[in-house]
Amino acid sequence: MDVAIVGSGYVGLVTAVCLAHIGHSVVCCDNNEDKIKALKSGHVPIYEPGLDDLLAKYLKSGRIAFTTSIGEAAKKATVIFIAVGTPSKKNGDADLTYIENVAREIAKNMDSYKLLVEKSTVPAQTGDRIARTIRLNLPARHKQGKNVTLEFDVASNPEFLREGSAVEDFMHPDRIVIGVESKRAERLLREVYKPLKATVVVTNLATAEMIKHASNSFLATKISFINSVAQICERVGADVEKVAEGMGYDKRIGRAFLNAGIGYGGSCFPKDVDAFVCLAEKSGYDFKILKSVRDVNEHQRESFIRLIEDKLWIIKDKTIAVWGLAFKSNTDDMRSAASLTVIEALQNEGANIQAYDPQAMPNAKKMLKGVKFCHDPYAAAKGADCLLLLTEWDEFKQADMIKTRELMRQAVIFDGRNFFDAKVLGELGFEYYGIGRGGNA
Ligand code: NAD
């Protein structure tokens, strides 16, 4: 099929490349000229394992093309995926400016039936607003009085991929959710995804939008739940890692997303939780659980900072090594990363930060001032009064911890992800502090 994708970021680009991989002819669009220029020459501007090889393959075969013009992207395509950003406004509500802009631009260029698909995460009822925007902005030749003569559909197809394993997630989804208001839209979307042979859940538009809200918010809730448990573990001498293991074997609970640490970050959970709270408020419901999820997440970072202050005693002029900056491993994404809050708080108290991340440093350099960025973990550890583990990159598991200890001024580790084996580090002479590991660290 001829498919267009508007927005070539983490979601749009992965969607485009993977749709090409399963046999479609894809035109991918972005209004960032530098990005499109890079993509046309085969350069992937983000770090996402496996993406560059696939892009090179389908650029060469001509199955994927890039443009800055929505009109050009939409010309041949029947199905147009919208994958632009939906950031938070100051009040936490989703800012849908980019979505509206794209809908307007598509409408102006429409001359045949189109199916517009929301791939971006948007509040429930956004589909109705997109449809209205299309009707209002269609060229006069497609209108008769108040009636629109050109047929179109709007559908919701939320994306559940995770950065760091996005290609794998897209190709092997747990389920594909399709929110449609017509048989034609359902048929087209089923056809797009047919090669994936995945479970397809078909709903109306608003329900599909809600599935995405509810899924992300539930995962965030699991994280805040285990972080609350970790706080109590710390106080009663229990080990949250064992608690999570013991809970996780229960099929009704599951082990995933029960990792205690410095809380969730990234471009999705913080903003999607905020947007769901706002949507609930607008609909007249006070979503108390989710507000607490957010509070617990913030508290988790603060309590990590308090722990460092307590154990390090004086922060001013101390050298603090940071291993990991990205909001999670296997990505270069720094949006709402916990490292930003932790580093800024410690800098405000006069600490000198020496940081290393395998992929996120180019992005981190744009967001963090006064940090010494190092070329490897050992350079970051050199002369440090303590080491903070903030992102769970495999590379740090391979690190030579004896060498690290010898390079540091004081062998103190604050493990914000419960990533290291507390016992092993203790035996190597480190003073180790994890999250919720009372009695074990
Ligand atoms: P992103 O910022 O990486 O990409 C968005 C892209 O849209 C940018 O390249 C931007 O230049 C482009 N854009 C903005 N306005 C445009 C316009 N008018 N015309 C053409 N292009 C335009 O964002 P992302 O991480 O890919 O997220 C996109 C959406 O997908 C968001 O709603 C997000 O919540 C959702 N989502 C993200 C993930 C994830 O892991 N990143 C997962 C699931 C869903």
Side-chain angles (χ1 to χ4, degrees):
M1 288 172 79
D2 284 306
V3 176
I5 318 280
V6 185
S8 311
Y10 287 88
V11 167
L13 186 60
V14 171
T15 304
V17 168
C18 291
L19 289 181
H21 188 57
I22 59 173
H24 301 300
S25 181
V26 184
V27 181
C28 200
C29 165
D30 204 286
N31 60 358
N32 180 330
E33 286 180 16
D34 291 340
K35 203 176 253 192
I36 292 299
K37 208 165 142 200
L39 287 166
K40 276 183 173 171
S41 67
H43 172 69
V44 176
I46 53 171
Y47 173 74
E48 188 56 59
L51 198 56
D52 36 8
D53 288 348
L54 286 178
L55 175 66
K57 184 172 172 190
Y58 296 112
L59 259 181
K60 201 167 164 210
S61 71
R63 218 187 272 168
I64 191 163
F66 292 94
T67 174
T68 51
S69 153
I70 290 185
E72 198 183 312
K75 205 184 298 169
K76 259 174 87 186
T78 309
V79 183
I80 306 169
F81 288 92
I82 304 175
V84 296
T86 48
S88 289
K89 289 196 224 170
K90 275 210 172 74
N91 67 355
D93 206 353
D95 180 351
L96 300 176
T97 313
Y98 302 141
I99 299 275
E100 189 195 38
N101 287 346
V102 169
R104 214 182 268 153
E105 200 61 28
I106 292 172
K108 281 195 225 152
N109 287 283
M110 260 167 68
D111 251 328
S112 57
Y113 170 86
K114 304 284 177 201
L115 169 61
L116 278 73
V117 187
E118 301 166 353
K119 195 70 159 145
S120 302
T121 303
V122 292
Q125 298 179 327
T126 302
D128 295 344
R129 292 184 184 275
I130 294 178
R132 184 167 178 271
T133 305
I134 299 284
R135 282 194 294 273
L136 288 172
N137 289 275
L138 275 175
R141 62 182 179 280
H142 300 308
K143 289 180 184 170
Q144 255 172 17
K146 275 189 184 167
N147 294 330
V148 165
T149 52
L150 189 65
E151 275 188 73
F152 68 93
D153 277 305
V154 178
S156 164
N157 168 224
E159 185 49 62
F160 300 98
L161 62 76
R162 296 162 299 174
E163 286 174 22
S165 54
V167 173
E168 185 63 19
D169 290 347
F170 192 96
M171 300 306 293
H172 305 283
D174 291 336
R175 78 304 204 185
I176 290 168
V177 173
I178 288 176
V180 286
E181 300 291 330
S182 81
K183 279 281 161 211
R184 185 179 193 175
E186 179 183 341
R187 186 176 48 73
L188 281 168
L189 277 172
R190 278 189 184 277
E191 208 176 316
V192 168
Y193 287 114
K194 200 168 165 193
L196 292 183
K197 300 186 172 66
T199 302
V200 178
V201 180
V202 181
T203 69
N204 66 15
L205 235 161
T207 305
E209 292 165 332
M210 277 296 285
I211 289 172
K212 178 65 186 175
H213 279 308
S215 301
N216 272 12
S217 296
F218 186 75
L219 294 174
T221 304
K222 276 188 97 174
I223 296 172
S224 280
F225 182 84
I226 200 68
N227 279 333
S228 298
V229 172
Q231 290 286 342
I232 307 167
C233 284
E234 197 79 59
R235 291 162 172 81
V236 302
D239 182 353
V240 73
E241 290 302 306
K242 285 286 169 197
V243 174
E245 186 189 340
M247 290 169 68
Y249 284 118
D250 188 326
K251 289 190 193 66
R252 296 167 303 174
I253 298 173
R255 177 64 181 80
F257 284 77
L258 288 183
N259 298 318
I262 42 177
Y264 59 77
S267 65
C268 291
F269 285 2
K271 90 170 167 60
D272 292 351
V273 165
D274 280 351
F276 205 10
V277 168
C278 266
L279 177 73
E281 243 155 44
K282 280 188 200 164
S283 74
Y285 180 72
D286 184 10
F287 207 151
K288 287 191 183 132
I289 294 180
L290 218 44
K291 286 180 176 172
S292 298
V293 165
R294 196 167 54 183
D295 291 346
V296 167
N297 200 55
E298 276 167 27
H299 178 258
Q300 207 59 18
R301 290 180 190 187
E302 283 158 20
S303 88
F304 187 65
I305 294 163
R306 297 291 92 82
L307 176 72
I308 299 166
E309 286 168 347
D310 180 37
K311 303 298 178 192
L312 213 54
W313 190 24
I314 310 292
I315 302 289
K316 192 165 184 299
D317 295 332
K318 289 268 163 73
T319 298
I320 298 183
V322 174
W323 282 7
L325 295 164
F327 86 92
K328 64 171 190 172
S329 59
N330 293 323
T331 181
D332 60 351
D333 200 342
M334 283 293 299
R335 292 177 284 185
S336 299
S339 63
L340 296 170
T341 320
V342 173
I343 288 174
E344 275 163 21
L346 296 171
Q347 280 180 324
N348 285 342
E349 294 190 47
N352 302 310
I353 308 290
Q354 301 183 161
Y356 168 75
D357 186 286
Q359 291 295 336
M361 289 200 287
N363 285 336
K365 282 177 186 166
K366 295 178 212 153
M367 302 165 95
L368 285 164
K369 299 283 161 257
V371 169
K372 183 177 168 196
F373 291 98
C374 302
H375 58 273
D376 69 23
Y378 306 109
K382 197 166 178 212
D385 294 289
C386 72
L387 168 65
L388 316 186
L389 186 289
L390 300 186
T391 315
E392 64 284 20
W393 285 95
D394 268 350
E395 182 178 332
F396 300 138
K397 273 260 159 79
Q398 321 301 332
D400 179 341
M401 294 312 284
I402 296 175
K403 180 175 170 186
T404 303
R405 185 196 63 205
E406 278 161 10
L407 282 166
M408 292 175 70
R409 190 152 58 184
Q410 300 185 145
V412 181
I413 290 196
F414 297 93
D415 183 354
R417 303 286 176 188
N418 287 349
F419 182 69
F420 290 119
D421 186 324
K423 203 159 157 263
V424 169
L425 287 190
E427 282 165 9
L428 289 179
F430 281 95
E431 200 176 296
Y432 173 91
Y433 299 100
I435 309 280
R437 313 204 68 186
N440 198 11

